[in-house]
């Protein structure tokens, strides 16, 4: 059969250092006049200051923590209804953006957040428009129809058109304060998105182009951004890499290393990027035949072995955990089982059952 695909990308993207200062004008352009701002706690003073200057921000919610809980999204949805908001602005890392997206999706129809999370209530297509402003360079959540929420220790990726933002303001200046370890974690998350979008069973040509460029940008800029957070050129290139990484996986979806990241985060507390990176170089070797030589050539690498070694070197440089022995007492059977049954594992180009994953994790003992 000939080549066939459907490509869609409805988010209007404003990119550039200082773009966040244009927020008021951008909200006006989008026709949003009463917005709830959801922000990472460290940004509360900046957003409060902006709210004083812009009448379009009517309330600020900042009680967000990593691996965001459903209760936060429910509180934001209540605030949206109470203030009769016509828009939501999410300013922060993926945890903040995902909370904003989930809240905006459920605010119109109402109902319990938990019922949406469990699937007993269906997200309405009609949702409050969201403007995303990422302050980390990693998740790509600014352009995806994904929200990752947790209920207790259960963490779930939900993919639904209701989560698609209306616009994204990507301002690299906002990422300069990200500490080195988070810079490395999130940067490797962006790399994982690009690689997994490339080798996903659902990959397609336009997403592939984004993937190659994101891989090249991460490998050329992550170390510099990690060494010197104020390096605006490296930060700009990493913000672009994260954006392209988001676009690279938005339609194909992620695969093996993301599937394994869920038990690694839920049971051993690894931050999302570190959890994805934990198995990323293993999957580069496992998935080497998934056109990876082509990607490496286009991204300026000698081959898959160099790619795997560069990932391992970045992890070591950033002080990320790379062996199971560093995670405390590990239940290998459960880790292999939970990774194997995660829905994203179905997207991996090489079928990985529980036994194959056990062997992979044994090599990471
Ligand atoms: P995060 O949002 O959890 O933030 C990590 C830490 O960095 C927090 O302590 C936060 O306060 C801090 N921080 C954020 N920006 C900062 C800045 N500019 N300066 C200083 N500190 C800053 O981390 P993340 O990696 O951006 O997001 C991870 C979450 O996103 C996970 O829940 C993950 O599952 C999810 N995710 C979502 C998608 C999607 O498409 N929706 C994709 C990948 C990951």
């Amino acid at each position: 059969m000939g080549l066939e695909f459907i490509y869609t990308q409805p988010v209007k993207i404003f990119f550039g250092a200082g773009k966040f200062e244009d927020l008021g004008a951008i909200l006006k352009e989008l026709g949003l006049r009463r917005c709830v701002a959801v922000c990472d706690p460290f940004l509360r003073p900046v957003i409060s200051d902006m709210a004083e200057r812009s009448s379009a921000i009517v309330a600020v919610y900042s009680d967000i923590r990593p691996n965001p809980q459903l209760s936060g999204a429910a509180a934001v949805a209540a605030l949206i209804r109470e203030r009769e908001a016509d828009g939501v602005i999410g300013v922060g890392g993926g945890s903040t953006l995902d909370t904003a997206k989930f809240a905006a999706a459920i605010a119109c129809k109402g109902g319990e957040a938990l019922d949406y999370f469990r699937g007993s209530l269906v997200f309405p297509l009609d949702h409050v428009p969201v403007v995303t402003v990422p302050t980390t360079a990693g998740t790509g959540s600014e352009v995806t129809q994904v929200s990752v929420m947790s209920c207790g220790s259960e963490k779930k990726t939900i993919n639904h058109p209701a989560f698609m933002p209306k616009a994204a303001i990507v301002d690299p200046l906002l990422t300069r304060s990200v500490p080195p370890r988070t810079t490395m974690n999130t940067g490797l998350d962006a790399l994982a998105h690009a690689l997994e979008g490339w080798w996903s069973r659902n990959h397609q040509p336009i997403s592939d182009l984004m993937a190659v460029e994101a891989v090249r940008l991460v490998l050329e800029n992550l170390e510099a951004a990690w060494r010197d957070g104020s390096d605006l050129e490296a930060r700009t290139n990493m913000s672009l890499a994260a954006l392209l990484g988001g676009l690279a996986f938005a339609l194909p979806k992620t695969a093996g290393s993301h599937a394994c990241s869920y038990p690694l985060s839920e049971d051993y507390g690894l931050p999302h990027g570190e959890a994805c990176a934990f198995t990323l170089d293993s999957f580069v070797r496992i998935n080497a035949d998934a056109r990876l030589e082509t990607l490496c050539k286009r991204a300026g690498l000698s081959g898959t072995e160099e790619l795997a070694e560069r990932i391992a070197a970045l992890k070591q440089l950033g002080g990320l955990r790379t062996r199971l022995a560093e995670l405390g007492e590990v239940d290998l059977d459960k880790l292999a089982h939970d990774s194997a049954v995660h829905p994203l594992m179905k997207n991996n180009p090489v079928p990985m059952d529980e036994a194959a994953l056990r062997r992979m994790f044994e090599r990471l003992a």
Side-chain angles (χ1 to χ4, degrees):
M1 204 169 69
L3 180 65
E4 253 186 46
F5 62 88
I6 297 171
Y7 185 82
T8 174
Q9 198 304 104
V11 187
K12 181 160 186 171
I13 299 164
F14 300 83
F15 187 99
K19 275 280 173 244
F20 184 55
E21 281 303 309
D22 298 342
L23 179 69
I26 292 171
L27 294 178
K28 200 167 175 189
E29 180 187 325
L30 299 172
L32 304 179
R33 288 181 303 178
R34 293 183 55 79
C35 296
V36 168
V38 184
C39 70
D40 199 285
F42 88 97
L43 273 162
R44 177 92 202 195
V46 179
I47 306 300
S48 299
D49 174 59
M50 191 155 263
E52 274 174 25
R53 286 184 282 140
S54 167
S55 59
I57 299 176
V58 295
V60 181
Y61 180 92
S62 62
D63 190 11
I64 306 278
R65 292 195 184 87
N67 294 322
Q69 286 290 323
L70 209 49
S71 52
V76 174
L79 195 56
I80 295 169
R81 286 193 290 268
E82 183 192 308
R83 303 307 300 264
E84 296 179 349
D86 63 5
V88 177
I89 311 159
V91 192
S95 298
T96 304
L97 305 191
D98 287 358
T99 302
K101 287 157 77 173
F102 197 100
I106 65 172
C108 293
K109 186 168 156 183
E112 293 298 323
L114 186 61
D115 290 331
Y116 290 98
F117 185 80
R118 294 252 183 269
S120 47
L121 266 181
V122 179
F123 293 98
L125 280 178
D126 197 15
H127 62 279
V128 181
V130 178
V131 177
T132 49
V133 187
T135 63
T136 57
T139 70
S141 176
E142 61 269 23
V143 286
T144 68
Q145 59 169 41
V146 174
S147 174
V148 186
M149 296 303 296
S150 294
C151 184
S153 64
E154 185 188 358
K155 186 174 173 179
K156 210 169 176 180
T157 296
I158 309 174
N159 200 306
H160 195 280
F163 298 139
M164 192 61 97
K166 188 175 181 72
I169 304 174
V170 185
D171 182 345
L173 286 181
L174 297 174
T175 66
R176 286 181 307 174
S177 52
V178 179
R181 198 180 171 98
T182 306
T183 298
M184 187 57 78
N185 286 344
T186 50
L188 288 173
D189 188 23
L191 183 61
H193 291 153
L195 291 173
E196 299 234 278
W198 173 274
W199 64 46
S200 163
R201 285 175 177 274
N202 313 308
H203 78 91
Q204 51 147 296
I206 297 176
S207 311
D208 282 353
L209 291 172
M210 316 275 186
V212 172
E213 185 60 0
V215 169
R216 191 186 69 74
L217 285 168
V218 172
L219 294 180
E220 285 181 8
N221 294 282
L222 180 51
E223 182 174 339
W226 173 82
R227 283 193 190 284
D228 175 8
S230 68
D231 179 340
L232 188 56
E233 189 184 341
R235 288 294 196 187
T236 300
N237 285 331
M238 283 308 301
S239 288
L240 181 58
L243 174 68
L244 294 176
L247 293 169
F249 88 88
L251 296 176
K253 305 196 180 71
T254 51
S257 79
H258 271 76
C260 294
S261 81
Y262 283 81
L264 287 168
S265 285
E266 285 171 11
D267 296 337
Y268 306 102
L270 265 62
H272 177 74
E274 184 173 6
C276 292
F278 195 85
T279 60
L280 191 60
D281 39 344
S282 299
F283 276 101
V284 165
R285 295 192 170 99
I286 290 165
N287 294 336
D289 290 338
R291 306 171 301 119
L292 266 190
E293 288 297 337
T294 308
L295 176 137
C296 288
K297 207 189 300 169
R298 290 194 199 163
L301 296 163
S302 60
T304 50
E305 202 43 43
E306 184 189 348
L307 177 57
E309 282 168 11
R310 293 280 297 273
I311 294 167
L314 282 166
K315 290 197 285 187
Q316 198 177 17
L317 187 70
L320 273 54
R321 287 157 282 189
T322 56
R323 319 267 1 152
L324 292 178
E326 295 168 89
L327 308 186
E329 206 172 310
V330 172
D331 182 342
L332 202 53
D333 290 333
K334 183 174 187 300
L335 182 56
H337 172 79
D338 291 355
S339 302
V341 298
H342 193 281
L344 292 173
M345 193 56 82
K346 288 199 182 78
N347 297 337
N348 205 62
V350 176
M352 294 291 285
D353 61 12
E354 206 172 312
L357 286 161
R358 200 179 203 287
R359 285 194 295 279
M360 180 191 79
F361 281 119
E362 276 166 357
R363 288 194 292 275
L364 296 172

